[in-house]
Amino acid sequence: MVNAGLYRLTLYASDEGKGSVAAMLGMISILTLAIGIELAKSGYFSGGTLWFCLINFISGVLWFGLVILFMRERKRRSRLEAL
């Protein structure tokens, strides 16, 4: 469900061709997933379950922080549009 919203926001935020924008977003998504998987894998092989859990915890905290920042920015922009 998150990807659908992300694709919609990205497609309508750009004046470029929709196919190009969707392809670029797909490549960025795949790259992000691959980097996350490799970090988790190397953490597990280097330090076992503790490092694996630590990397996942840090990822969750970063995700939560980004969601909070996104919501604050959205609220700020809606206030500016109301003026």
Side-chain angles (χ1 to χ4, degrees):
M1 290 180 61
V2 173
N3 264 352
L6 181 63
Y7 268 86
R8 183 177 175 145
L9 285 172
T10 306
L11 288 174
Y12 291 108
S14 176
D15 294 332
E16 299 298 320
K18 303 304 180 205
S20 300
V21 174
M24 183 59 69
L25 183 58
M27 289 191 321
I28 291 170
S29 297
I30 289 171
L31 180 67
T32 304
L33 289 169
I35 289 170
I37 288 169
E38 291 302 317
L39 281 174
K41 182 183 78 169
S42 65
Y44 180 73
F45 286 140
S46 297
T49 306
L50 178 64
W51 281 96
F52 180 74
C53 291
L54 184 63
I55 289 172
N56 288 323
F57 177 74
I58 290 170
S59 297
V61 169
L62 286 173
W63 173 83
F64 188 69
L66 289 172
V67 168
I68 289 173
L69 289 173
F70 176 77
M71 296 304 285
R72 284 184 186 166
E73 179 66 19
R74 186 173 176 202
K75 186 185 289 187
R76 185 186 69 81
R77 286 187 185 196
S78 66
R79 283 188 200 147
L80 290 175
E81 288 176 359
L83 296 177

